[in-house]
Amino acid sequence: MNKLAKLEIAVIIILLLCIGLYLTPYFTSSFDKRRAAKVCANAAVFTSKALANFNEEKDKKASIVAKETLEELNTLDKNPFDKKLPAYVFEKPQTGSILVESDDKIQTITLTGFGRENVILVRTVIKPPSFVTYQKYEDKK
């Protein structure tokens, strides 16, 4: 192989690396968006299950419903950011987890879903028979 062919191959490899570096943010940002969407979906699943539990027994306390729902769903769902961590927690939330807080006095359950760098992605307040959800939307640039 002559020197010119080696130089051409080196230029092609450098060009491919540059294109790869240019496109990397596009692929990683869509991956993070899918993870954030999974956190929001986990919050919606918890909300549906908690409301179903409240409908089964109307006099059940919010803390009992929250505990039962959390235990059941942690066996089914995983944290989208770290599969070793639980998807739902009662304290010390981490990236990708949903913090579950209950208040028996006013019979509510509050869910707070966290994304990368513990940014709040979704917050849901459940007060049977209804709920309110707030989601963080990113502006498209």
Side-chain angles (χ1 to χ4, degrees):
M1 214 184 222
N2 62 17
K3 291 181 182 181
L4 187 59
K6 289 179 183 178
L7 182 63
E8 289 174 350
I9 291 172
V11 168
I12 291 172
I13 290 173
I14 291 171
L15 187 63
L16 289 174
L17 286 173
C18 290
I19 291 171
L21 288 174
Y22 179 75
L23 294 176
T24 298
Y26 171 75
F27 292 114
T28 57
S29 68
S30 65
F31 189 61
D32 285 343
K33 286 179 185 177
R34 284 191 302 247
R35 289 191 210 173
K38 179 65 176 158
V39 171
C40 294
N42 284 348
V45 167
F46 191 99
T47 301
S48 299
K49 186 66 179 165
L51 286 173
N53 287 345
F54 275 121
N55 286 336
E56 287 176 7
E57 295 182 43
K58 306 241 187 254
D59 296 334
K60 216 179 225 187
K61 292 190 178 264
S63 59
I64 295 171
V65 170
K67 183 177 184 287
E68 290 174 355
T69 306
L70 182 137
E71 289 172 353
E72 179 182 349
L73 292 179
N74 264 340
T75 61
L76 302 173
D77 292 330
K78 299 293 180 201
N79 185 324
F81 286 88
D82 186 354
K83 301 291 183 202
K84 296 176 185 173
L85 297 174
Y88 308 95
V89 295
F90 281 122
E91 56 187 29
K92 297 182 183 175
Q94 299 190 4
T95 300
S97 65
I98 295 176
L99 177 65
V100 179
E101 301 169 303
S102 60
D103 188 349
D104 289 336
K105 293 177 188 173
I106 56 176
Q107 198 67 354
T108 61
I109 299 173
T110 304
L111 309 174
T112 307
F114 294 90
R116 186 165 299 288
E117 298 174 9
N118 285 341
V119 172
I120 295 176
L121 296 175
V122 62
R123 179 166 283 150
T124 302
V125 178
I126 304 168
K127 177 150 178 66
S130 64
F131 66 95
V132 177
T133 299
Y134 303 96
Q135 285 185 332
K136 177 184 176 191
Y137 292 103
E138 304 240 352
D139 294 333
K140 296 196 178 205
K141 295 180 182 177

